[in-house]
Amino acid sequence: MKSSDLAAEVMNQSKEMVKMTLADFSDADMLARPCPGANHAAWQLGHLIGAETRIVNSCTPGAMPELPAGFADKFSKSTAGSDDAAAFPKKAELMALFEKTRGAAMEWARKLSDEDLNKPVEGPAKSFAPTVHHAAALIPNHTMMHLGQFQVIRRKLGKPVLF
């Protein structure tokens, strides 16, 4: 297996874990916070979508599908504290966009050659992902960090423990 294939497979695994974890969340559940100051799942999922798009595009400009107009503004640090359901897309819309975005990231990863993986990353992502290889690994790692937070929300809501 090539490194790029492995990167795409790990992206797929983390995507499937997110889908499983959020499968029984309602739109209201997506806005539950496990404690004051913690982010709700709707904001976190939108944040993941935006971050993933920026990370891949910092490696290969234009590789990711364009996000809906105003999407990034809905998931900025300044909106993280909002509990206004009208300020965020519904769960189904977020999940569909996550699936589309992750699919594009996986396609991008599969196309990377070993030479591509060793190229430097430009822009803000460079400080934590100096090469394309680091950026490809960052995507599922970032997802898994938020997945742990989704698990805490599950427990607060009294949902079954999945893993």
Side-chain angles (χ1 to χ4, degrees):
M1 179 180 283
K2 298 184 324 182
S3 293
S4 56
D5 291 331
L6 179 59
E9 178 54 31
V10 176
M11 287 179 197
N12 186 57
Q13 289 172 348
S14 65
K15 175 193 73 164
E16 292 302 319
M17 291 177 84
V18 167
K19 288 170 50 180
M20 180 175 46
T21 299
L22 298 178
D24 60 352
F25 274 42
S26 66
D27 286 326
D29 292 342
M30 293 293 287
L31 295 172
R33 295 179 187 275
C35 65
N39 296 322
H40 52 66
W43 187 89
Q44 290 183 68
L45 192 55
H47 161 74
L48 282 169
I49 292 164
E52 189 163 318
T53 299
R54 287 188 303 277
I55 290 166
V56 173
N57 282 338
S58 72
C59 298
T60 308
M64 296 295 282
E66 194 169 316
L67 295 174
F71 186 86
D73 295 334
K74 292 180 182 184
F75 300 97
S76 67
K77 287 184 181 183
S78 66
T79 63
S82 175
D83 292 319
D84 179 5
F88 299 98
K90 299 290 187 198
K91 176 191 168 193
E93 183 181 341
L94 285 169
M95 293 303 295
L97 192 53
F98 179 65
E99 185 85 36
K100 178 180 178 182
T101 301
R102 182 54 58 92
M106 290 164 47
E107 181 179 329
W108 163 78
R110 283 188 192 100
K111 291 179 181 177
L112 295 170
S113 67
D114 287 342
E115 184 178 306
D116 292 332
L117 288 166
N118 291 314
K119 289 180 181 175
V121 171
E122 299 301 326
K126 184 177 186 171
S127 64
F128 47 87
T131 69
V132 172
H133 207 155
H134 289 96
L138 176 63
I139 291 169
N141 287 339
H142 184 213
T143 303
M144 296 304 284
M145 186 272 297
H146 285 284
L147 185 68
Q149 295 176 38
F150 297 157
Q151 293 296 328
V152 173
I153 296 169
R154 288 189 67 77
R155 282 160 179 79
K156 179 173 184 190
L157 294 172
K159 295 188 178 293
V161 175
L162 299 177
F163 39 81

